[in-house]
Short mmCIF file of all heavy atoms in Angstrom, two decimals:
data_model
loop_
_atom_site.label_atom_id
_atom_site.label_comp_id
_atom_site.label_asym_id
_atom_site.label_seq_id
_atom_site.Cartn_x
_atom_site.Cartn_y
_atom_site.Cartn_z
N GLN A 153 -10.78 22.32 -4.29
CA GLN A 153 -9.51 21.61 -4.35
C GLN A 153 -9.73 20.27 -5.04
O GLN A 153 -10.73 19.60 -4.82
CB GLN A 153 -8.95 21.37 -2.95
CG GLN A 153 -7.62 20.64 -2.94
CD GLN A 153 -7.16 20.27 -1.55
OE1 GLN A 153 -7.92 20.35 -0.60
NE2 GLN A 153 -5.91 19.84 -1.44
N LYS A 154 -8.77 19.89 -5.89
CA LYS A 154 -8.87 18.62 -6.60
C LYS A 154 -7.52 17.92 -6.62
O LYS A 154 -6.47 18.55 -6.47
CB LYS A 154 -9.38 18.84 -8.04
CG LYS A 154 -10.84 19.25 -8.12
CD LYS A 154 -11.30 19.32 -9.57
CE LYS A 154 -12.78 19.69 -9.65
NZ LYS A 154 -13.27 19.73 -11.05
N PHE A 155 -7.58 16.61 -6.81
CA PHE A 155 -6.39 15.79 -6.96
C PHE A 155 -6.47 15.05 -8.29
O PHE A 155 -7.55 14.68 -8.73
CB PHE A 155 -6.25 14.79 -5.82
CG PHE A 155 -6.14 15.42 -4.46
CD1 PHE A 155 -7.22 15.44 -3.60
CD2 PHE A 155 -4.95 16.01 -4.06
CE1 PHE A 155 -7.12 16.03 -2.35
CE2 PHE A 155 -4.83 16.59 -2.81
CZ PHE A 155 -5.92 16.60 -1.95
N ARG A 156 -5.31 14.80 -8.89
CA ARG A 156 -5.26 14.07 -10.16
C ARG A 156 -4.22 12.96 -10.08
O ARG A 156 -3.25 13.05 -9.32
CB ARG A 156 -4.90 15.02 -11.31
CG ARG A 156 -6.01 16.00 -11.66
CD ARG A 156 -5.58 16.93 -12.78
NE ARG A 156 -6.61 17.90 -13.12
CZ ARG A 156 -6.44 18.94 -13.92
NH1 ARG A 156 -5.24 19.14 -14.47
NH2 ARG A 156 -7.42 19.77 -14.18
N THR A 157 -4.44 11.94 -10.89
CA THR A 157 -3.50 10.82 -10.91
C THR A 157 -2.27 11.12 -11.77
O THR A 157 -1.25 10.44 -11.64
CB THR A 157 -4.19 9.55 -11.45
OG1 THR A 157 -4.75 9.83 -12.73
CG2 THR A 157 -5.30 9.10 -10.50
N ALA A 158 -2.35 12.10 -12.64
CA ALA A 158 -1.23 12.48 -13.49
C ALA A 158 -0.65 13.81 -13.01
O ALA A 158 -1.40 14.65 -12.50
CB ALA A 158 -1.66 12.61 -14.95
N PRO A 159 0.66 14.02 -13.14
CA PRO A 159 1.23 15.31 -12.74
C PRO A 159 0.57 16.45 -13.50
O PRO A 159 0.31 16.34 -14.69
CB PRO A 159 2.72 15.18 -13.12
CG PRO A 159 2.97 13.71 -13.22
CD PRO A 159 1.67 13.10 -13.68
N PRO A 160 0.28 17.55 -12.82
CA PRO A 160 -0.41 18.66 -13.50
C PRO A 160 0.52 19.36 -14.49
O PRO A 160 1.73 19.48 -14.28
CB PRO A 160 -0.78 19.60 -12.35
CG PRO A 160 0.23 19.31 -11.28
CD PRO A 160 0.53 17.84 -11.40
N ARG A 161 -0.05 19.79 -15.61
CA ARG A 161 0.69 20.60 -16.58
C ARG A 161 0.63 22.05 -16.13
O ARG A 161 -0.43 22.54 -15.71
CB ARG A 161 0.07 20.46 -17.97
CG ARG A 161 0.12 19.06 -18.54
CD ARG A 161 -0.62 19.00 -19.86
NE ARG A 161 -0.08 19.94 -20.82
CZ ARG A 161 -0.64 20.20 -22.00
NH1 ARG A 161 -1.77 19.58 -22.34
NH2 ARG A 161 -0.10 21.06 -22.83
N PRO A 162 1.74 22.79 -16.18
CA PRO A 162 1.70 24.20 -15.77
C PRO A 162 0.64 25.00 -16.50
O PRO A 162 -0.03 25.86 -15.90
CB PRO A 162 3.11 24.69 -16.11
CG PRO A 162 3.96 23.47 -15.97
CD PRO A 162 3.11 22.33 -16.48
N THR A 163 0.43 24.72 -17.79
CA THR A 163 -0.58 25.48 -18.53
C THR A 163 -2.00 25.09 -18.13
O THR A 163 -2.95 25.76 -18.52
CB THR A 163 -0.41 25.25 -20.04
OG1 THR A 163 -0.43 23.84 -20.32
CG2 THR A 163 0.90 25.83 -20.54
N GLY A 164 -2.13 24.03 -17.35
CA GLY A 164 -3.45 23.68 -16.85
C GLY A 164 -4.00 24.70 -15.87
O GLY A 164 -5.20 24.72 -15.59
N ALA A 165 -3.13 25.57 -15.35
CA ALA A 165 -3.58 26.62 -14.43
C ALA A 165 -4.18 27.81 -15.17
O ALA A 165 -4.77 28.69 -14.54
CB ALA A 165 -2.41 27.08 -13.56
N LEU A 166 -4.04 27.84 -16.49
CA LEU A 166 -4.57 28.97 -17.25
C LEU A 166 -6.08 28.82 -17.42
O LEU A 166 -6.59 27.72 -17.64
CB LEU A 166 -3.91 29.03 -18.63
CG LEU A 166 -2.39 29.26 -18.64
CD1 LEU A 166 -1.87 29.21 -20.07
CD2 LEU A 166 -2.04 30.58 -17.98
N THR A 167 -6.78 29.92 -17.34
CA THR A 167 -8.23 29.91 -17.55
C THR A 167 -8.54 29.87 -19.04
O THR A 167 -7.64 30.08 -19.89
CB THR A 167 -8.88 31.15 -16.93
OG1 THR A 167 -8.41 32.32 -17.65
CG2 THR A 167 -8.52 31.29 -15.46
N ALA A 168 -9.80 29.61 -19.36
CA ALA A 168 -10.20 29.58 -20.77
C ALA A 168 -9.96 30.94 -21.44
O ALA A 168 -9.53 31.01 -22.60
CB ALA A 168 -11.67 29.17 -20.87
N ALA A 169 -10.21 32.00 -20.69
CA ALA A 169 -10.00 33.34 -21.26
C ALA A 169 -8.52 33.59 -21.52
O ALA A 169 -8.15 34.20 -22.54
CB ALA A 169 -10.56 34.39 -20.31
N GLN A 170 -7.66 33.13 -20.59
CA GLN A 170 -6.22 33.32 -20.78
C GLN A 170 -5.70 32.52 -21.97
O GLN A 170 -4.87 33.00 -22.75
CB GLN A 170 -5.48 32.93 -19.50
CG GLN A 170 -5.70 33.91 -18.35
CD GLN A 170 -5.20 33.37 -17.03
OE1 GLN A 170 -5.11 32.15 -16.83
NE2 GLN A 170 -4.85 34.28 -16.12
N LEU A 171 -6.22 31.31 -22.15
CA LEU A 171 -5.82 30.50 -23.29
C LEU A 171 -6.26 31.15 -24.60
O LEU A 171 -5.52 31.12 -25.61
CB LEU A 171 -6.41 29.09 -23.17
CG LEU A 171 -5.78 28.19 -22.11
CD1 LEU A 171 -6.60 26.91 -21.96
CD2 LEU A 171 -4.34 27.83 -22.50
N GLN A 172 -7.46 31.73 -24.60
CA GLN A 172 -7.94 32.39 -25.80
C GLN A 172 -7.08 33.61 -26.15
O GLN A 172 -6.75 33.84 -27.32
CB GLN A 172 -9.40 32.82 -25.61
CG GLN A 172 -10.04 33.47 -26.82
CD GLN A 172 -10.14 32.52 -28.01
OE1 GLN A 172 -10.14 31.31 -27.85
NE2 GLN A 172 -10.24 33.08 -29.21
N SER A 173 -6.68 34.35 -25.11
CA SER A 173 -5.82 35.52 -25.35
C SER A 173 -4.46 35.07 -25.87
O SER A 173 -3.89 35.71 -26.77
CB SER A 173 -5.64 36.31 -24.05
OG SER A 173 -6.88 36.83 -23.60
N LEU A 174 -3.95 33.96 -25.31
CA LEU A 174 -2.66 33.45 -25.76
C LEU A 174 -2.74 32.97 -27.20
O LEU A 174 -1.82 33.18 -28.00
CB LEU A 174 -2.22 32.31 -24.83
CG LEU A 174 -0.80 31.76 -25.05
CD1 LEU A 174 0.24 32.86 -24.86
CD2 LEU A 174 -0.55 30.61 -24.08
N ARG A 175 -3.86 32.36 -27.56
CA ARG A 175 -4.02 31.90 -28.95
C ARG A 175 -4.03 33.09 -29.92
O ARG A 175 -3.44 33.04 -31.01
CB ARG A 175 -5.32 31.10 -29.07
CG ARG A 175 -5.48 30.36 -30.38
CD ARG A 175 -6.80 29.63 -30.43
NE ARG A 175 -6.86 28.55 -29.45
CZ ARG A 175 -6.37 27.32 -29.66
NH1 ARG A 175 -5.80 27.04 -30.83
NH2 ARG A 175 -6.47 26.41 -28.73
N LYS A 176 -4.70 34.17 -29.52
CA LYS A 176 -4.73 35.37 -30.37
C LYS A 176 -3.33 35.96 -30.50
O LYS A 176 -2.92 36.43 -31.58
CB LYS A 176 -5.68 36.40 -29.78
CG LYS A 176 -7.16 36.02 -29.89
CD LYS A 176 -8.03 37.11 -29.30
CE LYS A 176 -9.51 36.74 -29.43
NZ LYS A 176 -10.39 37.79 -28.84
N LEU A 177 -2.56 35.93 -29.38
CA LEU A 177 -1.21 36.48 -29.41
C LEU A 177 -0.32 35.68 -30.36
O LEU A 177 0.45 36.26 -31.14
CB LEU A 177 -0.62 36.45 -27.99
CG LEU A 177 0.80 36.98 -27.82
CD1 LEU A 177 0.88 38.44 -28.22
CD2 LEU A 177 1.27 36.79 -26.38
N VAL A 178 -0.45 34.35 -30.36
CA VAL A 178 0.34 33.51 -31.26
C VAL A 178 -0.05 33.80 -32.71
O VAL A 178 0.81 33.87 -33.60
CB VAL A 178 0.14 32.02 -30.93
CG1 VAL A 178 0.78 31.12 -31.99
CG2 VAL A 178 0.73 31.70 -29.57
N GLY A 179 -1.35 34.00 -32.95
CA GLY A 179 -1.79 34.32 -34.30
C GLY A 179 -1.21 35.63 -34.79
O GLY A 179 -0.80 35.75 -35.97
N ARG A 180 -1.12 36.63 -33.91
CA ARG A 180 -0.55 37.92 -34.30
C ARG A 180 0.94 37.79 -34.60
O ARG A 180 1.44 38.35 -35.59
CB ARG A 180 -0.78 38.91 -33.14
CG ARG A 180 -0.28 40.32 -33.42
CD ARG A 180 -1.13 41.01 -34.47
NE ARG A 180 -2.51 41.11 -34.03
CZ ARG A 180 -2.97 42.12 -33.27
NH1 ARG A 180 -2.15 43.08 -32.86
NH2 ARG A 180 -4.25 42.17 -32.94
N VAL A 181 1.65 37.01 -33.76
CA VAL A 181 3.08 36.81 -33.98
C VAL A 181 3.33 36.06 -35.29
O VAL A 181 4.26 36.35 -36.05
CB VAL A 181 3.70 36.06 -32.79
CG1 VAL A 181 5.13 35.60 -33.11
CG2 VAL A 181 3.69 36.95 -31.55
N ASN A 182 2.48 35.07 -35.58
CA ASN A 182 2.68 34.24 -36.77
C ASN A 182 2.46 35.00 -38.07
O ASN A 182 2.86 34.52 -39.15
CB ASN A 182 1.73 33.02 -36.72
CG ASN A 182 2.28 31.92 -35.82
OD1 ASN A 182 3.47 31.87 -35.54
ND2 ASN A 182 1.39 31.04 -35.38
N GLU A 183 1.87 36.19 -37.99
CA GLU A 183 1.74 37.01 -39.20
C GLU A 183 3.09 37.43 -39.72
O GLU A 183 3.26 37.69 -40.93
CB GLU A 183 0.87 38.24 -38.91
CG GLU A 183 -0.59 37.90 -38.62
CD GLU A 183 -1.40 39.13 -38.24
OE1 GLU A 183 -0.78 40.23 -38.20
OE2 GLU A 183 -2.61 39.00 -37.98
N LEU A 184 4.10 37.52 -38.83
CA LEU A 184 5.45 37.95 -39.22
C LEU A 184 6.49 36.86 -39.02
O LEU A 184 7.66 37.07 -39.36
CB LEU A 184 5.86 39.19 -38.40
CG LEU A 184 4.93 40.41 -38.50
CD1 LEU A 184 5.38 41.50 -37.54
CD2 LEU A 184 4.92 40.93 -39.93
N ARG A 185 6.09 35.71 -38.49
CA ARG A 185 7.07 34.66 -38.14
C ARG A 185 7.08 33.55 -39.18
O ARG A 185 6.02 33.09 -39.60
CB ARG A 185 6.74 34.08 -36.76
CG ARG A 185 7.79 33.12 -36.20
CD ARG A 185 7.31 32.58 -34.86
NE ARG A 185 8.34 31.84 -34.14
CZ ARG A 185 8.67 30.58 -34.36
NH1 ARG A 185 8.04 29.90 -35.31
NH2 ARG A 185 9.62 29.99 -33.68
N ARG A 186 8.29 33.11 -39.56
CA ARG A 186 8.43 31.97 -40.44
C ARG A 186 9.54 31.07 -39.90
O ARG A 186 10.65 31.56 -39.65
CB ARG A 186 8.77 32.41 -41.87
CG ARG A 186 7.66 33.17 -42.58
CD ARG A 186 6.44 32.27 -42.82
NE ARG A 186 5.36 33.00 -43.50
CZ ARG A 186 4.45 33.71 -42.89
NH1 ARG A 186 4.45 33.79 -41.57
NH2 ARG A 186 3.53 34.35 -43.59
N PRO A 187 9.27 29.79 -39.68
CA PRO A 187 7.96 29.15 -39.84
C PRO A 187 7.01 29.55 -38.72
O PRO A 187 7.45 30.01 -37.67
CB PRO A 187 8.30 27.66 -39.77
CG PRO A 187 9.49 27.60 -38.87
CD PRO A 187 10.30 28.83 -39.20
N ALA A 188 5.74 29.38 -38.97
CA ALA A 188 4.75 29.73 -37.97
C ALA A 188 4.89 28.82 -36.75
O ALA A 188 5.31 27.67 -36.84
CB ALA A 188 3.35 29.60 -38.56
N LEU A 189 4.52 29.37 -35.59
CA LEU A 189 4.59 28.63 -34.34
C LEU A 189 3.25 27.98 -34.05
O LEU A 189 2.22 28.67 -33.98
CB LEU A 189 4.97 29.57 -33.19
CG LEU A 189 4.99 28.97 -31.78
CD1 LEU A 189 6.07 27.90 -31.66
CD2 LEU A 189 5.20 30.05 -30.73
N ALA A 190 3.23 26.66 -33.93
CA ALA A 190 1.99 25.96 -33.60
C ALA A 190 1.62 26.23 -32.15
O ALA A 190 2.48 26.26 -31.25
CB ALA A 190 2.15 24.45 -33.83
N PHE A 191 0.35 26.47 -31.91
CA PHE A 191 -0.12 26.79 -30.56
C PHE A 191 0.20 25.66 -29.58
O PHE A 191 0.62 25.90 -28.45
CB PHE A 191 -1.63 27.08 -30.59
CG PHE A 191 -2.18 27.49 -29.25
CD1 PHE A 191 -1.82 28.69 -28.67
CD2 PHE A 191 -3.07 26.66 -28.57
CE1 PHE A 191 -2.34 29.07 -27.44
CE2 PHE A 191 -3.59 27.03 -27.35
CZ PHE A 191 -3.23 28.25 -26.78
N ASP A 192 0.02 24.42 -30.03
CA ASP A 192 0.31 23.28 -29.14
C ASP A 192 1.80 23.20 -28.79
O ASP A 192 2.16 22.78 -27.69
CB ASP A 192 -0.13 21.97 -29.80
CG ASP A 192 -1.64 21.82 -29.84
OD1 ASP A 192 -2.32 22.56 -29.09
OD2 ASP A 192 -2.15 20.98 -30.62
N ASP A 193 2.67 23.60 -29.75
CA ASP A 193 4.10 23.61 -29.45
C ASP A 193 4.44 24.66 -28.41
O ASP A 193 5.32 24.45 -27.57
CB ASP A 193 4.91 23.87 -30.72
CG ASP A 193 4.89 22.68 -31.69
OD1 ASP A 193 4.48 21.58 -31.24
OD2 ASP A 193 5.25 22.85 -32.86
N LEU A 194 3.73 25.78 -28.44
CA LEU A 194 3.96 26.81 -27.42
C LEU A 194 3.53 26.30 -26.05
O LEU A 194 4.24 26.50 -25.05
CB LEU A 194 3.19 28.08 -27.78
CG LEU A 194 3.25 29.19 -26.73
CD1 LEU A 194 4.68 29.66 -26.51
CD2 LEU A 194 2.35 30.37 -27.13
N LEU A 195 2.39 25.62 -25.99
CA LEU A 195 1.94 25.06 -24.71
C LEU A 195 2.94 24.04 -24.18
O LEU A 195 3.23 23.99 -22.98
CB LEU A 195 0.56 24.42 -24.87
CG LEU A 195 -0.61 25.36 -25.18
CD1 LEU A 195 -1.92 24.57 -25.24
CD2 LEU A 195 -0.72 26.48 -24.14
N ALA A 196 3.47 23.21 -25.09
CA ALA A 196 4.46 22.22 -24.67
C ALA A 196 5.72 22.90 -24.14
O ALA A 196 6.31 22.45 -23.14
CB ALA A 196 4.82 21.31 -25.85
N LEU A 197 6.12 24.02 -24.78
CA LEU A 197 7.27 24.76 -24.30
C LEU A 197 7.02 25.33 -22.90
O LEU A 197 7.88 25.25 -22.02
CB LEU A 197 7.60 25.89 -25.28
CG LEU A 197 8.76 26.81 -24.89
CD1 LEU A 197 10.07 26.02 -24.86
CD2 LEU A 197 8.86 27.98 -25.86
N LEU A 198 5.84 25.89 -22.69
CA LEU A 198 5.50 26.43 -21.38
C LEU A 198 5.42 25.32 -20.32
O LEU A 198 5.71 25.56 -19.14
CB LEU A 198 4.17 27.18 -21.45
CG LEU A 198 4.17 28.44 -22.32
CD1 LEU A 198 2.76 29.03 -22.40
CD2 LEU A 198 5.14 29.48 -21.75
N ASP A 199 5.03 24.12 -20.75
CA ASP A 199 4.96 22.99 -19.82
C ASP A 199 6.31 22.35 -19.58
O ASP A 199 6.43 21.40 -18.79
CB ASP A 199 3.98 21.93 -20.36
CG ASP A 199 2.54 22.37 -20.23
OD1 ASP A 199 2.24 23.13 -19.29
OD2 ASP A 199 1.71 21.93 -21.06
N GLY A 200 7.36 22.83 -20.30
CA GLY A 200 8.68 22.26 -20.12
C GLY A 200 8.88 20.97 -20.88
O GLY A 200 9.74 20.16 -20.52
N VAL A 201 8.08 20.76 -21.94
CA VAL A 201 8.17 19.53 -22.73
C VAL A 201 8.65 19.87 -24.12
O VAL A 201 8.05 20.71 -24.81
CB VAL A 201 6.80 18.82 -22.81
CG1 VAL A 201 6.90 17.57 -23.68
CG2 VAL A 201 6.30 18.48 -21.42
N ASP A 202 9.72 19.21 -24.55
CA ASP A 202 10.19 19.34 -25.93
C ASP A 202 9.52 18.23 -26.73
O ASP A 202 10.01 17.10 -26.77
CB ASP A 202 11.71 19.22 -25.99
CG ASP A 202 12.26 19.52 -27.39
OD1 ASP A 202 11.48 19.44 -28.36
OD2 ASP A 202 13.46 19.82 -27.51
N ALA A 203 8.39 18.52 -27.34
CA ALA A 203 7.59 17.50 -28.00
C ALA A 203 8.36 16.81 -29.12
O ALA A 203 8.30 15.59 -29.29
CB ALA A 203 6.31 18.12 -28.55
N ALA A 204 9.11 17.58 -29.91
CA ALA A 204 9.82 16.99 -31.03
C ALA A 204 10.92 16.04 -30.54
O ALA A 204 11.09 14.94 -31.06
CB ALA A 204 10.43 18.10 -31.90
N ALA A 205 11.67 16.48 -29.53
CA ALA A 205 12.75 15.64 -29.02
C ALA A 205 12.20 14.39 -28.35
O ALA A 205 12.77 13.30 -28.46
CB ALA A 205 13.61 16.43 -28.03
N ALA A 206 11.09 14.54 -27.65
CA ALA A 206 10.50 13.39 -26.97
C ALA A 206 10.02 12.35 -27.97
O ALA A 206 10.12 11.15 -27.74
CB ALA A 206 9.33 13.85 -26.08
N ALA A 207 9.49 12.82 -29.10
CA ALA A 207 9.01 11.88 -30.11
C ALA A 207 10.16 11.19 -30.83
O ALA A 207 10.06 10.04 -31.23
CB ALA A 207 8.13 12.61 -31.12
N ALA A 208 11.29 11.91 -30.99
CA ALA A 208 12.40 11.36 -31.76
C ALA A 208 13.32 10.48 -30.93
O ALA A 208 13.98 9.59 -31.45
CB ALA A 208 13.21 12.50 -32.38
N THR A 209 13.38 10.74 -29.62
CA THR A 209 14.34 10.04 -28.76
C THR A 209 13.59 9.20 -27.73
O THR A 209 12.96 9.75 -26.84
CB THR A 209 15.26 11.04 -28.04
OG1 THR A 209 15.85 11.92 -28.99
CG2 THR A 209 16.33 10.32 -27.24
N PRO A 210 13.63 7.87 -27.84
CA PRO A 210 12.98 7.05 -26.82
C PRO A 210 13.72 7.16 -25.49
O PRO A 210 14.94 7.39 -25.46
CB PRO A 210 13.10 5.63 -27.40
CG PRO A 210 14.27 5.69 -28.31
CD PRO A 210 14.29 7.08 -28.87
N ALA A 211 12.98 7.03 -24.41
CA ALA A 211 13.57 7.12 -23.08
C ALA A 211 14.54 5.97 -22.87
O ALA A 211 14.21 4.81 -23.13
CB ALA A 211 12.47 7.09 -22.02
#
Side-chain angles (χ1 to χ4, degrees):
Q153 180 187 12
K154 290 185 178 181
F155 299 104
R156 289 179 181 170
T157 55
R161 297 175 57 188
T163 54
L166 298 176
T167 66
Q170 289 169 335
L171 287 171
Q172 182 63 23
S173 297
L174 187 59
R175 190 181 294 276
K176 290 181 179 179
L177 180 61
V178 171
R180 183 69 60 86
V181 169
N182 280 339
E183 292 176 359
L184 302 174
R185 188 182 190 278
R186 293 294 180 273
L189 175 65
F191 183 67
D192 288 343
D193 289 346
L194 175 62
L195 293 183
L197 178 64
L198 295 175
D199 286 330
V201 178
D202 187 340
T209 307

